[in-house]
Amino acid sequence: MTETPATTVDDCRIINLEHHPHSYGTLTVAQNSNALPFAIKRIYYIYDIPTNSTRGGHSHFTEQCILTAVGGCFDVSVFDGKNKKTFTLKRPFEGLYIPPGIWRTMENFSSGCIVLVLSSIKFDEKDYVRDMDHFTELKQNTFDKHL
Ligand code: TYD
């Protein structure tokens, strides 16, 4: 693929997932519905994360995703080639929506942190941009096109 969408960090947003707090515990639901910006094709979760670890460090051509701290907390920085924003995820019902064409980095993981990811596509390494220079070049071309 040679083009990446003209998305910006302002397209990244926190989505409050449906949740049901009770005296006996809280239940959170993610299901395909109008409450989500895409249909879920895959879920995966990341755990046993060393607290000083940095994960992510890539963008996607088409994948949309929602990241959630189902246990503990962590920071996600998003970058669109021009601007950067950082979100702290610390509640199991808060999901960060990231559209395609956004570079993301995850760090400052608390001990025992578990990251749940809802994804719009099945795993496809060809959907990744893992090189920052390539990413900024792709985004620059996109911005130039929209001038
Ligand atoms: P990666 O997406 O780079 O993880 P993160 O963004 O959390 O740092 O994936 C790490 C490794 O796992 C990489 O070798 C690809 C592999 N992987 C799969 O095989 N299937 C999957 O669904 C995912 C998300 C990753």
Side-chain angles (χ1 to χ4, degrees), residues 13-34:
R13 63 180 193 277
I14 296 291
I15 292 174
N16 277 340
L17 299 169
E18 176 188 333
H19 57 289
H20 302 270
H22 293 290
S23 56
Y24 47 89
T26 301
L27 183 151
T28 292
V29 189
Q31 62 182 335
N32 290 329
S33 72
N34 293 339

Side-chain angles (χ1 to χ4, degrees), residues 88-130:
T88 296
L89 295 179
K90 56 177 186 283
R91 297 196 185 116
F93 60 84
E94 270 181 5
L96 175 64
Y97 170 68
I98 306 181
I102 298 290
W103 189 271
R104 86 289 316 269
T105 309
M106 298 176 272
E107 57 195 350
N108 298 328
F109 296 96
S110 66
S111 166
C113 179
I114 301 173
V115 180
L116 175 71
V117 185
L118 310 176
S119 169
S120 65
I121 62 168
K122 290 190 179 164
F123 177 70
D124 179 3
E125 186 59 43
K126 292 192 292 303
D127 195 63
Y128 282 75
V129 183
R130 292 191 183 271

Side-chain angles (χ1 to χ4, degrees), residues 22-104:
H22 293 290
S23 56
Y24 47 89
T26 301
L27 183 151
T28 292
V29 189
Q31 62 182 335
N32 290 329
S33 72
N34 293 339
L36 297 185
F38 59 85
I40 302 165
K41 280 267 179 60
R42 175 175 50 130
I43 69 162
Y44 59 93
Y45 41 97
I46 308 167
Y47 50 95
D48 290 346
I49 311 167
T51 50
N52 58 356
S53 206
T54 298
R55 299 199 59 112
H58 53 75
S59 167
H60 286 270
F61 285 108
T62 64
E63 188 204 49
Q64 304 174 67
C65 72
I66 293 172
L67 308 181
T68 307
V70 293
C73 62
F74 67 103
D75 292 335
V76 192
S77 294
V78 289
F79 177 61
D80 58 19
K82 279 188 181 162
N83 296 307
K84 184 178 162 180
K85 264 190 191 174
T86 299
F87 296 85
T88 296
L89 295 179
K90 56 177 186 283
R91 297 196 185 116
F93 60 84
E94 270 181 5
L96 175 64
Y97 170 68
I98 306 181
I102 298 290
W103 189 271
R104 86 289 316 269

